[in-house]
Amino acid sequence: MAADSFTSPLRPDANAGRVALVTGGGTGIGRATALALAGTGANVVICGRRAEPLISTAREIERSGASCLAVPADIREADQVDRVVDAALERFGAIEVLVNNAGGQFEAPADTISDKGWRAVGRLTLDATWSVTRTVATRSMILRRGGLIVFLGFSPLRGIPGFAHACAARAAVGNLASGLALEWSRHRIRSVCIAAGTIATDALAGYGEEAVERWRRSVPLGRLGSPHEVASLIAFLATAGGAYITGTTIVVDGGGDAWGLAEEPPR
């Protein structure tokens, strides 16, 4: 599904007045999510390490008439997390939706992953995600008694060869989502993990045509997913229609988790 052929199924005012923060909001699923939330009426804050894609995304959102604040930041650093949250609260007064999209991984056999490589993936995908989540919750959501926290996980849920480090970290954020839902429901805070399958992003293309084609063949629907398909689900979860959904992992993968890897295991 081409990006320019996607039309949101949601009303343009479905998230009117809400304030959302999307980490890694300049590219891929993060960018599509920022556009989807803005397209349904939300005010959006995006952050990421590279300024150029953030500025490009913010300009596209603002051309549509919505409000967007772009804050270049490395969320692995606590002071920069505070800077992002400070800027969001100063501009919009609250953060009601948090989308923990930022993450990173590299393909490698498990026995070749060094301690440094393992920590690098965990630091961004898990540690930085927790830092942002805790800061947003304590400084806005708990005080205002309400909010939605979204985490991005992986499908297939059972693990992917070559990505042991990333799968471990993504599984952890899935369990974090359910644990926070149990603890923070008393604050009217919902917490959901989206386990995305093989999604057609620039990052995916970086693994090469052969790998991407192999992954595509393992999808029962026979195609890659679109970032906009993941984004539209996140935008829906933020609406009143998603208000009773919390503490779970929703798989968006064209049937990939149900089928498995559909290839021979490593010999």
Side-chain angles (χ1 to χ4, degrees), residues 7-229:
T7 301
S8 174
L10 301 176
R11 287 172 33 169
D13 62 348
N15 283 308
R18 290 185 174 87
V19 181
L21 168 60
V22 182
T23 66
T27 59
I29 292 173
R31 178 181 183 277
T33 299
L35 291 169
L37 289 164
T40 54
N43 299 308
V44 180
V45 181
I46 54 176
C47 68
R49 284 178 285 178
R50 294 187 294 136
E52 289 184 7
L54 291 175
I55 294 170
S56 174
T57 300
R59 285 175 176 169
E60 183 171 350
I61 288 173
E62 290 171 345
R63 282 196 297 268
S64 71
S67 295
C68 182
L69 174 64
V71 186
D74 184 348
I75 61 170
R76 294 174 298 183
E77 305 298 334
D79 62 328
Q80 297 194 41
V81 171
D82 285 333
R83 182 163 59 81
V84 172
V85 174
D86 285 343
L89 295 178
E90 181 178 355
R91 173 75 175 271
F92 297 115
I95 301 172
E96 298 160 295
V97 178
L98 169 62
V99 182
N100 287 299
N101 168 74
Q105 55 275 326
F106 55 91
E107 186 173 13
D111 53 297
T112 69
I113 300 172
S114 66
D115 289 346
K116 181 179 179 181
W118 182 277
R119 286 193 297 268
V121 170
R123 186 183 177 203
L124 178 57
T125 303
L126 183 58
D127 297 347
T129 290
W130 170 240
S131 179
V132 175
T133 298
R134 181 191 63 238
T135 303
V136 170
T138 56
R139 294 187 57 189
S140 184
M141 292 183 178
I142 291 175
L143 297 174
R144 296 175 59 86
R145 291 194 54 76
L148 168 67
I149 302 170
V150 177
F151 299 91
L152 267 293
F154 274 177
S155 171
L157 298 172
R158 67 206 72 185
I160 304 170
F163 293 92
H165 48 350
C167 288
R170 299 286 182 168
V173 298
N175 279 275
L176 177 59
S178 59
L180 291 182
L182 298 177
E183 288 200 43
W184 289 352
S185 285
R186 67 179 183 271
H187 301 302
R188 301 295 185 265
I189 296 172
R190 294 182 294 119
S191 179
V192 179
C193 180
I194 305 297
T198 312
I199 307 300
T201 63
D202 290 341
L204 183 75
Y207 290 104
E209 292 183 8
E210 183 179 345
V212 172
E213 175 59 19
R214 184 176 75 248
W215 293 330
R216 184 198 64 77
R217 290 198 305 268
S218 73
V219 179
L221 279 182
R223 65 173 176 85
L224 302 178
S226 160
H228 297 279
E229 291 173 311

